[in-house]
Amino acid sequence: MFGTILNSWALFSGFGLIMIAHTLQGTLLNINSVFFNFSDFEIGYVFTGYFIGFLFSSIQCPKLIKNVGHIRVFAAFASLGSIAILLHWIFVDPVLWLIFRMITGFSYAAIYIVCESWLNDRADNQTRGQLIGFYMIVLYISTSIGVMLINIGTTTEAHLYILSSLLISLALVPILLTKKPAPEFTTPKFLSLKDLYKKSPMAFVGSFSIGMVYSALFGLIAVFGAKIGFSIFQISILVFVNMFIGAIFQYPIGKISDRYDRRTILFVLNLIAIGSLILAFIFGSFSFYVLLVFIGIHSAVSLPYYAVVISHMNDFLEKDEIVSASSTLTLVNALGMVAGPMLASGFMAYFGPYGFFIYMIVVYSVVAPYNYFRIRVGRTSDIYEENTPSMIVPRNTSSIGMQLATEQIINKIEEEEELSQ
């Protein structure tokens, strides 16, 4: 396994630098959109732009990679992403920022697809699980570093914009100088939205709704912190806790979901999320540390939610359906992400900064009754005995990354079948 990781050092180092830059610029733009007095409506459509670009790239970039190759696509879109962040500093205008965020979203989705398909090509049945685990470690360490870099300079000056651009440009070096050949690329298969809903209504609704939560939560949490007067350091800690606590809880919650009906697990996660957000809304203004506790609780149940949704869907599928269904589920999740920032910013405009929490409470409260309905009308209570192994995926994975994770699940299913024979 270590040999495979060493052979993939260029991929991991390039991806790590990209993720540091991505988190830094997202936090930076969140804070500066408030400093530059963008209205709540303008903030909403600016940060929706990223997810629009991400959605279209997820559909179009696999075709582009197949035509021109991994390295050219990576170089082109890393360059575009590097340019886009500098344009935010040169032109401070919400309409232009919308365009720049769309370019950024398109570029980052392309980068994810390149990195994850390259990683998938390097993996085999023996090393895939460890490579996924190391990939997740690189992702979360990089994002943690990125959010803390916001403290090294003044957000309204050019330094942090330039640093973000430099990090993206630097990520090109190991990728372009690697001696390893780029992998053969296979365009991911997609199941139709209608067929996906028929296979697992709860997975479809859950994926869309948690996309609405994720885009607001990760796209606007620094905006919320800036609006209520937090310092730059406090905002960085808030964003860090929101990311890191959820990452830690993915594995234990996934393992719990292997033993019980996943619809019940989703319902419980939903209720805990609602409770933590209500408490954050009521008591969050009393103390920064009290707010951190409730944000951490919400993160602990919200980030694993998507992974449980995917695993629940896999419970209903044959092995040969899992990859295509998972690819489609990423698009459903991305559609939800497109809706999140605009709706959340509307709640913040009407209710004030704490409308950020009200928005997410409303989303969870709409899903919870449907979740309960699916428990009542769905399969029998002993269904957990047939559960597929749980899977852990980043919240922003591409369809290729989902393919990588689902192939690991298929391997586990085959191993369990061999043992039972």
Side-chain angles (χ1 to χ4, degrees):
M1 194 272 285
F2 291 107
T4 306
I5 290 174
L6 287 175
N7 288 334
S8 304
W9 71 269
L11 175 64
F12 285 121
S13 58
F15 178 72
L17 289 168
I18 288 285
M19 290 310 302
I20 293 172
H22 175 47
T23 312
L24 171 61
Q25 67 177 264
T27 309
L28 175 65
L29 296 177
N30 263 238
I31 294 169
N32 282 351
S33 65
V34 177
F35 182 86
F36 293 137
N37 295 314
F38 288 6
S39 69
D40 289 303
F41 175 71
E42 289 169 337
I43 290 173
Y45 70 66
V46 163
F47 291 103
T48 294
Y50 175 88
F51 299 104
I52 294 173
F54 193 97
L55 174 62
F56 278 100
S57 183
S58 297
I59 298 169
Q60 295 299 323
C61 268
K63 302 172 186 176
L64 188 60
I65 293 172
K66 193 170 181 64
N67 290 332
V68 303
H70 288 73
I71 292 179
R72 288 188 179 90
V73 169
F74 186 94
F77 286 105
S79 298
L80 273 178
S82 180
I83 293 167
I85 184 59
L86 294 176
L87 292 175
H88 286 85
W89 178 66
I90 297 170
F91 303 103
V92 182
D93 178 84
V95 175
L96 292 177
W97 275 30
L98 166 64
I99 296 171
F100 303 152
R101 288 304 286 166
M102 290 174 68
I103 294 171
T104 301
F106 199 100
S107 299
Y108 273 101
I111 289 167
Y112 292 149
I113 290 170
V114 168
C115 290
E116 289 166 350
S117 61
W118 212 318
L119 187 64
N120 195 23
D121 182 73
R122 297 283 171 87
D124 55 32
N125 290 349
Q126 286 71 44
T127 62
R128 183 173 284 107
Q130 290 117 337
L131 281 174
I132 292 172
F134 190 77
Y135 174 74
M136 296 281 285
I137 291 170
V138 170
L139 188 154
Y140 286 115
I141 289 176
S142 300
T143 53
S144 300
I145 293 171
V147 72
M148 299 311 295
L149 286 179
I150 198 72
N151 294 286
I152 69 174
T154 305
T155 61
T156 53
E157 295 181 357
H159 304 86
L160 292 176
Y161 291 92
I162 294 172
L163 176 60
S164 181
S165 178
L166 286 173
L167 287 167
I168 298 173
S169 298
L170 187 60
L172 284 167
V173 177
I175 297 292
L176 296 181
L177 293 181
T178 182
K179 294 181 180 179
K180 300 293 180 181
E184 294 294 326
F185 185 78
T186 303
T187 305
K189 298 177 181 179
F190 292 94
L191 194 69
S192 72
L193 295 177
K194 182 179 179 181
D195 288 340
L196 179 64
Y197 181 82
K198 286 181 178 180
K199 290 286 183 182
S200 180
M202 185 61 227
F204 189 100
V205 172
S207 178
F208 182 83
S209 61
I210 202 63
M212 293 177 68
V213 170
Y214 283 170
S215 58
L217 182 62
F218 291 93
L220 299 178
I221 190 169
V223 170
F224 163 77
K227 281 182 173 289
I228 63 175
F230 282 171
S231 67
I232 299 299
F233 180 71
Q234 287 176 315
I235 292 173
S236 66
I237 294 298
L238 185 69
V239 176
F240 175 83
V241 167
N242 183 56
M243 292 188 305
F244 202 72
I245 297 297
I248 292 172
F249 275 83
Q250 281 215 43
Y251 181 79
I253 289 179
K255 286 303 176 183
I256 291 171
S257 76
D258 285 347
R259 299 180 59 189
Y260 302 98
D261 186 341
R262 288 195 170 106
R263 294 162 305 177
T264 303
I265 299 298
L266 290 171
F267 186 65
V268 172
L269 295 179
N270 216 319
L271 295 181
I272 295 173
I274 292 170
S276 63
L277 291 171
I278 290 173
L279 292 172
F281 177 79
I282 296 172
F283 300 110
S285 59
F286 292 177
S287 165
F288 171 69
Y289 298 102
V290 170
L291 180 63
L292 278 185
V293 169
F294 295 128
I295 288 291
I297 294 171
H298 174 257
S299 176
V301 295
S302 66
L303 264 69
Y305 190 98
Y306 184 41
V308 177
V309 163
I310 298 166
S311 299
H312 171 66
M313 177 194 68
N314 290 342
D315 294 340
F316 292 83
L317 302 174
E318 300 297 331
K319 284 187 297 184
D320 59 353
E321 298 175 314
I322 290 178
V323 171
S324 60
S326 297
S327 299
T328 304
L329 201 68
T330 61
L331 298 184
V332 174
N333 185 252
L335 287 169
M337 287 183 176
V338 170
M342 279 298 298
L343 292 173
S345 64
F347 275 78
M348 293 172 77
Y350 189 82
F351 295 103
Y354 279 83
F356 175 67
F357 295 123
I358 296 174
Y359 163 75
M360 289 187 286
I361 291 168
V362 169
V363 174
Y364 284 121
S365 298
V366 170
V367 175
Y370 183 80
N371 194 162
Y372 182 75
F373 168 74
R374 292 307 309 171
I375 293 172
R376 296 296 298 245
V377 304
R379 298 187 292 179
T380 59
S381 59
D382 62 352
I383 185 56
Y384 63 86
E385 295 179 0
E386 301 174 18
N387 278 355
T388 59
S390 59
M391 57 189 297
I392 300 174
V393 293
R395 60 179 174 83
N396 53 358
T397 191
S398 71
S399 57
I400 302 296
M402 190 69 74
Q403 178 178 322
L404 174 63
T406 51
E407 285 178 355
Q408 172 66 8
I409 294 303
I410 292 170
N411 290 339
K412 288 183 179 180
I413 294 172
E414 291 174 345
E415 288 172 4
E416 291 180 357
E417 288 176 350
E418 289 177 1
L419 290 173
S420 64
Q421 291 176 355

